Amino acid sequence: MQQHNLIQGSPEWHAYRAQHDNASDAPAMLGLSIYKTRTELMTERKTGLTPDVNSTTQKLFDDGHKFEALSRPLAEKIIGEELSPVTGSLGRYSASFDGLTLMEDVAFEHKTLNDDLRAAFADIQTRADEYRDNSGDLLPLMYQVQMEQQLLVSGAEKCLFMATKWNGEELVDEEHTWYLPNLELRQKIIDGWAQFAIDLADYVPVEIAEKPKAAVIMALPSLAIQIKGEVTHSNLIEFKEAATVFIANIKTELVTDEDFSNAEEMVKFCKAAEENIEITKASAIAQTTSIDELMRTLDFIKKQLSTKRLALKSLVDTQKLSIKTNAVSKAKSDWNAYLIEAEKETHPIRLNVQQPDFVGATTGLKTIKSLHSKIGDAIANGKIVIDAAARDIRAKQAWLKENADGFQFLFADIQTIVHKQMDDLQVLAKSRIADHKAQKAAELEADRVRIQAEEEEKARAKVALEASENARIEQAKLDAFAQEQAHKDDIAEAGNSVNTTQQLTPVVETTARAIPTQIKPAEVINQPIYFSGPHPSVNEIVCALAVAFHAEEMLVHKWLLEADFTQFKIAA
């Protein structure tokens, strides 16, 4: 906090306040002050002009400063430290402290004890003892706002709020409690000043005078009638002419507060004039039994007054309702337009904000000035709420973009969950993402295990197939060898039966199908082939070729018949 050496009320002090957002103005800025409206504060800040202080108000100010000085020693005893009046600022935020400790950790705020504060302290007394001393949250909100900005500017931990009543320099009554920081209210103040600056930039002061007193109504001539058997004296003709002109000149176009005030007074005047005519009629009737012209004239004037009065009263009520309705309608339209613009920045998220109660804000108001002031306060506070909600949504959207990018499909209910507190939203988002990742990891692991099992099963099947094929090949070789051995035995036995002394010559196997198809011709040719006689017979040659080429004996025989042996040359 930066301290400023300023004398309250000096030109330098006023110039400083005009450039800062002051704690004492914060209640008015939020439309909470009972002393100044938000519109009045905007007019002061825009024009630099402040209302003149009359002698009564000045005496209240002087008494306030006097009682503050008398109360400071009481506060120092409670706090246990000395207090000094200080004016300080934090950027554009400013505060004037009735007292601040040297370390700027405790502030002091004094007010004159009034009925509102007595009621607040009566509520404080109903609290449990352990909470009673820290009950600043039960004070009127306008005081809480002022102290909250003081804590914002100074960084103090708490503020002693004291209200006193003095008779001269004699203490009559004293109440006090501690006010502790309220961060939610602090944010509302910050948002409020931001909105105030936006509104102030486009604000054009409108002079709306206080409700004026009704103009003096031109009195009708006194109606004088004397009757003695007949009308002996009457100014009835002059009265009729004056009343007719008067009634015709009654204004029925109501725009300003002055128009409404005059109209309401005119309604009362007409009512009184009607009653006066009735009294005069009764007096005349008491003097005579029948004066037809007199009665008709008086009835005529009375009826005109009554008609105008009723029409005027209806007009007043209708015009007031119309002005109020138009003001409320425009306020709703302005608020909705502001909401639409804010939601463009948070699209597709809709802001969860409640429209201000503009109708309730205008209830019980009697002047156009107060009507527009309260409507303006309601719109400003409504915009502050919209800005805070939009800022909150944008922060959450930014966090989700950074921390949940690629996982948007997990947040189909974003329109609902985005309105949770930031901490709750973060916990929920992290939990969903973690659960999704765990589920995907489990699915990937299951796929890996399944694929591994399938690959292992394929490998086992391949090994089994290869083993089976190798066994088949080996068995085929064994079978071929056995057949070959059997064939040798047959040939040997046949040779022995023809010529037991004849030398056996290798002979070829006669059945080509006995050789496995997997054995290549070269493998067969390289095997020993046995045949009988000095050279193989034609049949043995055919069988040998059939085995070598894996062909049927008939096909080999056909090849031999078709072969051109004239082209065959024997190598030297």
Side-chain angles (χ1 to χ4, degrees), residues 194-264:
Q195 186 61 47
F196 186 85
I198 294 172
D199 294 343
L200 186 63
D202 300 326
Y203 178 68
V204 178
V206 178
E207 183 62 31
I208 303 178
E210 292 288 345
K211 181 177 180 179
K213 294 181 180 179
V216 177
I217 298 176
M218 177 193 70
L220 292 172
S222 296
L223 181 58
I225 300 175
Q226 293 181 3
I227 300 175
K228 189 177 179 180
E230 62 180 354
V231 177
T232 59
H233 169 74
S234 171
N235 63 345
L236 188 62
I237 302 300
E238 294 83 355
F239 182 82
K240 179 179 180 181
E241 292 176 354
T244 302
V245 173
F246 173 76
I247 294 170
N249 288 332
I250 293 176
K251 186 177 181 180
T252 58
E253 183 179 354
L254 309 181
V255 178
T256 67
D257 277 334
E258 184 177 7
D259 294 337
F260 280 98
S261 183
N262 289 338
E264 290 172 341

Side-chain angles (χ1 to χ4, degrees), residues 187-408:
Q187 187 61 52
K188 186 174 182 180
I189 293 170
I190 293 172
D191 294 343
W193 280 122
Q195 186 61 47
F196 186 85
I198 294 172
D199 294 343
L200 186 63
D202 300 326
Y203 178 68
V204 178
V206 178
E207 183 62 31
I208 303 178
E210 292 288 345
K211 181 177 180 179
K213 294 181 180 179
V216 177
I217 298 176
M218 177 193 70
L220 292 172
S222 296
L223 181 58
I225 300 175
Q226 293 181 3
I227 300 175
K228 189 177 179 180
E230 62 180 354
V231 177
T232 59
H233 169 74
S234 171
N235 63 345
L236 188 62
I237 302 300
E238 294 83 355
F239 182 82
K240 179 179 180 181
E241 292 176 354
T244 302
V245 173
F246 173 76
I247 294 170
N249 288 332
I250 293 176
K251 186 177 181 180
T252 58
E253 183 179 354
L254 309 181
V255 178
T256 67
D257 277 334
E258 184 177 7
D259 294 337
F260 280 98
S261 183
N262 289 338
E264 290 172 341
E265 195 64 26
M266 188 63 71
V267 170
K268 297 176 184 177
F269 179 84
C270 291
K271 180 68 174 176
E274 293 175 49
E275 293 173 350
N276 185 52
I277 290 175
E278 280 297 321
I279 293 173
T280 304
K281 283 176 60 179
S283 175
I285 292 173
Q287 299 178 51
T288 184
T289 57
S290 175
I291 305 296
D292 185 60
E293 182 182 359
L294 174 65
M295 297 304 127
R296 287 201 312 272
T297 301
L298 291 177
D299 286 341
F300 171 76
I301 297 172
K302 178 186 174 184
K303 183 175 181 181
Q304 279 193 313
L305 284 169
S306 177
T307 300
K308 181 64 72 171
R309 173 178 62 84
L310 294 175
L312 198 58
K313 185 176 185 306
S314 176
L315 187 60
V316 168
D317 294 340
T318 301
Q319 286 289 86
K320 280 187 174 182
L321 180 60
S322 176
I323 291 174
K324 180 177 179 179
T325 300
N326 290 338
V328 170
S329 178
K330 185 178 184 304
K332 290 181 177 180
S333 176
D334 291 347
W335 184 86
N336 284 326
Y338 196 86
L339 177 63
I340 291 172
E341 288 301 313
E343 287 183 337
K344 288 180 181 179
E345 299 180 4
T346 63
H347 183 79
I349 304 301
R350 301 292 301 276
L351 298 182
N352 187 20
V353 292
Q354 186 70 32
Q355 186 182 79
D357 183 10
F358 295 113
V359 175
T362 62
T363 301
L365 303 180
K366 299 183 181 299
T367 66
I368 296 176
K369 178 182 178 180
S370 61
L371 173 69
H372 287 294
S373 178
K374 289 298 183 181
I375 287 287
D377 292 348
I379 292 176
N381 288 327
K383 289 180 178 179
I384 291 171
V385 172
I386 290 174
D387 288 341
R391 183 171 55 254
D392 178 64
I393 295 299
R394 291 196 299 271
K396 291 171 181 174
Q397 287 176 318
W399 186 90
L400 287 171
K401 183 177 181 180
E402 180 179 352
N403 296 275
D405 191 33
F407 296 96
Q408 290 84 350

Side-chain angles (χ1 to χ4, degrees), residues 6-26:
L6 299 170
I7 299 175
Q8 188 171 1
S10 66
E12 294 79 10
W13 182 76
H14 284 294
Y16 165 83
R17 286 179 58 82
Q19 299 300 317
H20 290 81
D21 297 330
N22 307 294
S24 57
D25 288 333

Side-chain angles (χ1 to χ4, degrees), residues 87-98:
T87 298
S89 64
L90 182 68
R92 280 194 58 86
Y93 302 125
S94 173
S96 296
F97 300 89
D98 294 340

Side-chain angles (χ1 to χ4, degrees), residues 316 351 417 483 491 554 570:
V316 168
L351 298 182
I417 65 173
Q483 290 181 8
I491 293 175
M554 292 297 294
I570 301 175

Side-chain angles (χ1 to χ4, degrees), residues 14 45 63 83 154 204 392 533 543:
H14 284 294
R45 293 286 290 272
D63 287 345
L83 296 169
S154 64
V204 178
D392 178 64
C543 287

